[in-house]
Structure formats: structure tokens, C-alpha cells
């Protein structure tokens, strides 16, 4: 079976640092690389930043917009121009492309999520390279993914990709920003979740002027992708040809090893696409039952409820100290759970006046968030 790869390229790689104008030679090399991969039966999805940066260049705006309204307007100018350039380059090589604009709203709704999956599969089977970006023009703050590193990881998880390539403005991950810290050490390979957590604690959030990313978001993306069974590589966006060398086995860039893909597609959706709208706090016994034995959550183990939510919405399941140990879809609303928390399951019908289910969150609708 052919490999599926997701390639994310950032604004800092697509544009010239001083002017914000497009780096056409980099785009040409990227297009040629991805087209050749497609010709060799590799299924390719490109997640591309750059709409706001290109819009700023087109409108001669010297710095990134600070207000949401201006950013959305600039993105509307830049997105069409960016896609036209991609289409010109890919068409010169006979490679069809498609534009897919997403917000978290499509990822939250299960039916839409499945439809997006089917659309990707249909496009890939037709030999098309989908080009994905967040729909900055219409996304409201609470429904934004926030950065294209995270978006690319969510897409890689959705399509069950083999590789996620995060193309950036440095050749690999370092222990600190090498542009400012000469003592920064290169990181070539990250094998375990524990190693990744240590790196996340070490690396600072410094991004470039034109991008919203930085190594913090790339590490967060790597955590999502590797947890979904996707090998992840951070490498230099100015030399896209390195993708070929990496697929051939060369160890350039920083490689994050995939973790076993044990969770179902539905549980990956719960874990990474949904945004918790409330928190349930548990006693020690319930924590152990969920964390150590994979049990469903019963009302008896709940000590506190925070937030307002309805049935079937996502909540964070926390221990007494507030650490999220699991995430799941509730069978009761927040007001109902407040009435039944700490009670035995057989008491629920008498308290609420009707019989529902004995579980507040069934184990099939809950995923562990413990590394």
C-alpha cells in the first residue's frame, strides 16, 4: 500500500524574511518535490501557511495584523493569491491540486469530521494534492485551531498518515533557539513520550515575525501526531528535497518516532479534535479505576463539576489536583451531574426523576490523556 504523508510549510519558509514577499524558488522546489513524490505513488497532503503573510505583502503592510478583523481581511486577500501561485506552479508539472479550508468547527462535529476524511480519501485516490489552511477569514477565536503546526497534526491523525513533515526555518530542533543561543544543542531523534515532554519543557516560544509558529507549537504537533501513530520530522523548509532523503532512510532533521496506533479513530477525534467545555474532578478511587483499569466514569467518583455543558459534549476528567487524566463525552449535562455527583448509580433515577445510563462517561467515549 502506498504511503501517505502530510507536509506543513510555514510562513517563514514561504516568504522572504526582510520583505514578506514570496520566496518563489523555495515554492518551486517544494512543488517539484511533492509532484515527484506523487508520481512515485506517495499520497501527499500539503498544509500551507502564508495567506496573511502574502496578503501583507500585496497590501504593503509592514507588520503582522494585530486585530482579528484586519487579519481576516488580509487573509482573504492573501489566500486567493497564494492558491493562484500554487496552481500555476503545480499546473506547469501537470499536477492537480485542491483547496481545503478548515476551522475547528468542522473537526468538532463528528459528521463533518467523517465527511472531511472521506473528501481527503477521494482526492488522494484521484491523484490530487490537497492544500490545507485554516480558514482565517471566517474563524472566530473560540473555533480557531490557532496554528498550522497543530492543524497539520490533526490532519495527519485524521487520514492516518505515515509521516508528518514540519518544514521550518532551521535544519532541525535544538535545545534552544540557535539564532540567539550559541550553546544550543541539536536534537536528532526523539523516541519516547517522556523525551518529548522534556523537550517541551525546555524549548522557548520564540517564533519569527511573520509566522505564528515556533518550536513550542511544533513539539505540540509532534506529540499529537506521534500519539496517533504518525512519524514526525522537523526539517528545513528552504530545502524541501530533504523529504526524499528522509523517506529513503536518511536521518536529516529531527525525527520523532511514532507511538503504537492503539486508539480507534473515534478516540483520536475525542483526544485531539475536541475542546473540553467543562471539567469533572474525581476522587482517588475513580482516578485509579479510569487510569489503571480503563473503567467507565460513574457518578459516585465525581467530587466537583466546573463549567456549563450539555449531554454529548466533551469534558476534561481531572484528578483532585486538576491534572487532566482523560477526556470524554458526557451522558449527562452539567446541571444533572451536579445533582448526582457522589451518588450510587441506582440512585440516579430517583434523583433525576428518570432513568438514563448508569455511566456519566462510558469507556468507549473516553480516552486517556496520561502519557
Amino acid at each position: 500500500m502506498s504511503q501517505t504523508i502530510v507536509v506543513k510549510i510555514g510562513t517563514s519558509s514561504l516568504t522572504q524574511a526582510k520583505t514578506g514577499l514570496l520566496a518563489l524558488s523555495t515554492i518551486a522546489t517544494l512543488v517539484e518535490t511533492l509532484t515527484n513524490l506523487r508520481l512515485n505513488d506517495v499520497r501527499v497532503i500539503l498544509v500551507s501557511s502564508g495567506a496573511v503573510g502574502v496578503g501583507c505583502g500585496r497590501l504593503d503592510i509592514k507588520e503582522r495584523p494585530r486585530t482579528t478583523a484586519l487579519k481576516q481581511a488580509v487573509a482573504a486577500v492573501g489566500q486567493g493569491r497564494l492558491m493562484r501561485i500554487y496552481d500555476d506552479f503545480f499546473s506547469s508539472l501537470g499536477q492537480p491540486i485542491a483547496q481545503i479550508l478548515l476551522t475547528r468547527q468542522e473537526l468538532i462535529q463528528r459528521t463533518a469530521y467523517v465527511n472531511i476524511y472521506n473528501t481527503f480519501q477521494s482526492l488522494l485516490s484521484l491523484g490530487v494534492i490537497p492544500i490545507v489552511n485554516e480558514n482565517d477569514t471566517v474563524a472566530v477565536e473560540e473555533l480557531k485551531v490557532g496554528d498550522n503546526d497543530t492543524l497539520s497534526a490533526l490532519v495527519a491523525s485524521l487520514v492516518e498518515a505515515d509521516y508528518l513533515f514540519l518544514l521550518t526555518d532551521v535544519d532541525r530542533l535544538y535545545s534552544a533557539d540557535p539564532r540567539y543561543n550559541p550553546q544550543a544543542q541539536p536534537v536528532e531523534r526523539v523516541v519516547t513520550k517522556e523525551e518529548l515532554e522534556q523537550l517541551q519543557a525546555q524549548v522557548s516560544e520564540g517564533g519569527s515575525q511573520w509566522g505564528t509558529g515556533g518550536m513550542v507549537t511544533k513539539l505540540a504537533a509532534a506529540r499529537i501526531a506521534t500519539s496517533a501513530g504518525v512519524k514526525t520530522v522537523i526539517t528545513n523548509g528552504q530545502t524541501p528535497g530533504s523529504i526524499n532523503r528522509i523517506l529513503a532512510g536518511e536521518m536529516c532533521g529531527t525525527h520523532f518516532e511514532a507511538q503504537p496506533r492503539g486508539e480507534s479513530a473515534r478516540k483520536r477525534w475525542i483526544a485531539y479534535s475536541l475542546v473540553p467545555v467543562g471539567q469533572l474532578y474525581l476522587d482517588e478511587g475513580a482516578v485509579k479505576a479510569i487510569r489503571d483499569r480503563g473503567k467507565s466514569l460513574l457518578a459516585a467518583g465525581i467530587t466537583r463539576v466546573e463549567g456549563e455543558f450539555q449531554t454529548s459534549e466533551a469534558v476534561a476528567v481531572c484528578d483532585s489536583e486538576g491534572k487532566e487524566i482523560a477526556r470524554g463525552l458526557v451522558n449527562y449535562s452539567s446541571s444533572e451531574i451536579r445533582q448526582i455527583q457522589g451518588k450510587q448509580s441506582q440512585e440516579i433515577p430517583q434523583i433525576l426523576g428518570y432513568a438514563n445510563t448508569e455511566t456519566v462517561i462510558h469507556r468507549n467515549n473516553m480516552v486517556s490523556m496520561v502519557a
Side-chain angles (χ1 to χ4, degrees):
M1 184 176 178
S2 61
Q3 286 188 313
T4 300
I5 69 170
V6 176
V7 178
K8 183 267 175 180
I9 188 163
T11 304
S12 60
S13 299
L14 288 171
T15 56
Q16 302 171 37
K18 292 184 178 179
T19 64
L21 298 176
L22 286 171
L24 295 178
S25 60
T26 299
I27 296 174
T29 305
L30 174 69
V31 166
E32 186 174 10
T33 298
L34 299 186
T35 300
N36 288 336
L37 286 168
R38 186 68 210 104
L39 291 173
N40 284 288
D41 203 31
V42 177
R43 293 150 53 101
V44 178
I45 297 171
L46 174 62
V47 178
S48 177
S49 301
V52 175
V54 172
C56 285
R58 182 68 180 88
L59 298 171
D60 198 27
I61 296 174
K62 300 303 182 184
E63 63 178 18
R64 191 173 183 87
R66 298 182 184 277
T67 67
T68 299
L70 181 58
K71 180 182 177 183
Q72 291 178 326
V74 170
V77 173
Q79 184 63 34
R81 191 172 179 84
L82 181 64
M83 285 303 299
R84 176 184 173 182
I85 292 167
Y86 274 129
D87 192 50
D88 286 345
F89 275 95
F90 276 109
S91 293
S92 68
L93 298 176
Q95 173 60 52
I97 62 172
Q99 176 179 252
I100 297 181
L101 297 176
L102 298 174
T103 67
R104 192 177 283 275
Q105 181 68 52
E106 288 83 36
L107 300 174
I108 288 174
Q109 296 176 345
R110 181 63 183 169
T111 301
Y113 185 86
V114 173
N115 286 342
I116 294 168
Y117 171 84
N118 291 334
T119 299
F120 274 122
Q121 296 305 320
S122 296
L123 288 169
L124 294 173
S125 67
L126 291 169
V128 175
I129 294 180
I131 300 180
V132 183
N133 195 0
E134 183 159 19
N135 196 348
D136 288 321
T137 302
V138 300
V140 294
E141 197 62 35
E142 59 267 24
L143 293 178
K144 286 181 67 64
V145 175
D147 65 88
N148 275 345
D149 293 322
T150 300
L151 179 61
S152 67
L154 293 173
V155 170
S157 173
L158 168 66
V159 301
E160 297 186 337
D162 298 285
Y163 274 95
L164 169 62
F165 292 93
L166 299 172
L167 305 186
T168 185
D169 52 3
V170 293
D171 56 347
R172 58 172 55 88
L173 173 68
Y174 289 80
S175 58
D177 192 330
R179 295 170 295 187
Y180 308 110
N181 186 346
Q183 305 302 318
Q185 297 296 312
V187 179
E188 294 186 355
R189 192 177 182 195
V190 180
V191 178
T192 66
K193 288 183 179 180
E194 290 73 21
E195 291 174 350
L196 182 48
E197 284 183 341
Q198 290 175 1
L199 283 172
Q200 286 182 297
Q202 293 172 6
V203 174
S204 64
E205 285 199 40
S208 68
Q209 176 188 5
W210 291 99
T212 57
M215 282 302 168
V216 168
T217 62
K218 287 171 179 58
L219 288 172
R223 185 169 186 175
I224 293 171
T226 55
S227 296
V230 182
K231 299 174 187 175
T232 303
V233 183
I234 295 174
T235 190
N236 199 315
Q238 295 180 342
T239 55
S242 60
I243 295 173
N244 290 314
R245 302 200 305 274
I246 293 166
L247 291 174
E250 189 173 324
M251 285 294 293
C252 55
T254 298
H255 291 240
F256 299 83
E257 294 299 322
Q259 304 303 313
R261 189 178 281 157
E263 296 171 347
S264 67
R266 178 178 174 80
K267 287 200 172 186
R268 290 199 304 275
W269 168 68
I270 293 171
Y272 305 121
S273 295
L274 300 186
V275 179
V277 292
Q279 298 80 38
L280 301 179
Y281 294 84
L282 312 185
D283 61 28
E284 186 177 346
V287 169
K288 289 182 177 179
I290 291 171
R291 184 186 58 201
D292 301 337
R293 302 198 299 276
K295 297 291 187 179
S296 298
L297 174 60
L298 303 178
I302 300 173
T303 59
R304 191 165 90 251
V305 181
E306 288 190 0
E308 301 298 327
F309 48 86
Q310 300 301 315
T311 303
S312 298
E313 290 193 303
V315 300
V317 179
C318 307
D319 62 18
S320 59
E321 297 179 351
K323 180 181 179 181
E324 185 179 11
I325 64 164
R327 186 173 298 178
L329 305 177
V330 290
N331 293 321
Y332 293 94
S333 69
S334 54
S335 60
E336 291 170 327
I337 297 174
R338 289 188 177 96
Q339 296 178 63
I340 63 176
Q341 67 183 62
K343 305 297 184 181
Q344 297 300 313
S345 298
Q346 59 268 27
E347 299 178 73
I348 294 176
Q350 182 178 358
I351 296 171
L352 297 181
Y354 58 86
N356 193 346
T357 175
E358 65 176 16
T359 62
V360 173
I361 304 178
H362 193 276
R363 62 188 179 190
N364 291 345
N365 288 327
M366 184 162 50
V367 60
S368 172
M369 301 299 289
V370 179

